[in-house]
């Protein structure tokens, strides 16, 4: 078994990305599965393309893409990806799409098959703030989640995948005005490990 975790390059003037920092701290094996880490560019289209070539090359059983959501107070597994690009700030290549489709021929939305309610439950049992989110936004994270779920639906029906947003880190939050909620990277990383455990257990139970 193999589990792929992806994070993003820093964006929006930041020097770190809380998602990738949390992924760095993950162990090399989770629930008997090999952990593979991948850094994605925070660029519309390109993030999804890099992810899809990794799916082809690594053939993971479970894929958990992770992004940073400044302003959120909890770890938030995402329910849905929508076929929409709408950027409040430019991406790392200077693109700022407004009301564009990700895939003109694709459906309006995809729902994840990650066991997100069980992930939330497991995190709460470990006293980690966690709740299901019903919007991954319309920026690069949603772009990558939509690309992942589209690829699973069309090419990799056996794969289980989805997306989790984590809050920014305290070192990032303290520089912003007003100061947003934040979460220590070790706690965010533990949530991602628990999410992997729950997801692999769900695959094994199939
Ligand atoms: N967060 C952004 C993109 C990269 C990241 O970590 C988002 O929520 O869309």
């Amino acid at each position: 078994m193999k589990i792929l975790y992806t994070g993003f390059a820093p964006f929006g003037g930041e020097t770190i990305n809380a998602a990738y920092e949390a992924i760095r701290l993950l162990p090399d094996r989770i629930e008997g599965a090999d952990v593979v880490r991948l850094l994605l560019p925070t660029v519309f289209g390109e993030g999804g393309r890099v992810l899809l070539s990794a799916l082809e090359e690594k053939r993971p059983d479970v894929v958990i893409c992770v992004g940073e959501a400044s302003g959120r107070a909890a770890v938030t597994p995402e329910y849905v990806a929508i076929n929409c690009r709408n950027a409040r700030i430019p991406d790392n290549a200077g693109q700022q799409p407004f009301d564009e489709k990700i895939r003109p021929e694709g459906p309006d939305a995809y729902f994840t098959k990650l066991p997100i309610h069980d992930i939330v439950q497991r995190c709460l049992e470990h006293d980690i703030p966690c709740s299901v989110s019903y919007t991954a936004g319309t920026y690069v994270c949603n772009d990558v989640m939509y690309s992942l779920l589209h690829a699973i639906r069309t090419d990799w029906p056996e794969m289980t995948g989805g997306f989790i947003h984590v809050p920014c880190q305290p070192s990032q939050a303290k520089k912003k005005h007003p100061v947003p909620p934040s979460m220590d990277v070790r706690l965010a990383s533990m949530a991602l490990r628990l999410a992997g455990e729950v997801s692999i257990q769900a695959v094994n139970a199939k």
Side-chain angles (χ1 to χ4, degrees):
M1 286 269 252
K2 206 182 275 180
I3 179 165
L4 172 67
Y5 284 90
T6 72
F8 284 98
F11 68 103
E14 293 283 345
T15 53
I16 60 165
N17 186 303
Y20 198 69
E21 296 304 312
I23 288 170
R24 272 187 212 280
L25 297 186
L26 288 170
D28 292 333
R29 285 178 77 78
I30 292 176
E31 205 64 18
D34 290 325
V35 171
V36 180
R37 299 169 183 77
L38 177 68
L39 180 67
L40 300 178
T42 307
V43 175
F44 281 100
E46 195 53 27
R49 278 193 288 278
V50 172
L51 172 65
L52 296 200
S53 58
L55 298 186
E56 184 76 47
E57 188 195 334
K58 313 271 187 208
R59 314 264 170 139
D61 303 281
V62 174
V63 184
I64 300 182
C65 296
V66 187
E68 172 190 307
S70 180
R72 288 195 189 173
V75 173
T76 45
E78 299 292 348
Y79 193 93
V80 58
I82 62 172
N83 193 1
C84 174
R85 289 177 171 162
N86 198 344
R88 186 179 50 81
I89 54 170
D91 69 12
N92 286 0
Q95 308 176 93
Q96 194 168 6
F98 174 71
D99 208 18
E100 283 176 14
K101 283 194 180 279
I102 297 169
R103 296 248 173 189
E105 78 296 355
D108 290 343
Y110 285 110
F111 294 160
T112 190
K113 293 224 170 52
L114 272 189
I116 52 174
H117 300 294
D118 294 338
I119 291 171
V120 168
Q121 190 58 37
R122 187 74 62 90
C123 286
L124 294 179
E125 283 163 13
H126 285 77
D127 291 337
I128 303 173
C130 188
S131 60
V132 168
S133 160
Y134 294 92
T135 174
T138 52
Y139 195 53
V140 180
C141 288
N142 176 70
D143 205 64
V144 162
M145 182 179 179
Y146 187 92
S147 303
L148 170 65
L149 298 185
H150 185 77
I152 289 176
R153 181 69 59 87
T154 52
D155 297 325
W156 309 101
E158 299 302 316
M159 222 178 255
T160 304
F163 199 99
I164 299 179
H165 268 113
V166 296
C168 65
Q169 285 185 23
S171 63
Q172 299 172 283
K174 71 178 186 187
K175 294 187 224 141
K176 296 183 199 278
H177 302 283
V179 176
S182 60
M183 184 179 281
D184 186 275
V185 66
R186 285 161 294 193
L187 207 56
S189 188
M190 184 168 159
L192 299 181
R193 176 171 64 72
L194 294 171
E197 281 176 19
V198 171
S199 303
I200 289 165
Q201 286 162 3
V203 170
N204 284 334
K206 265 193 209 163

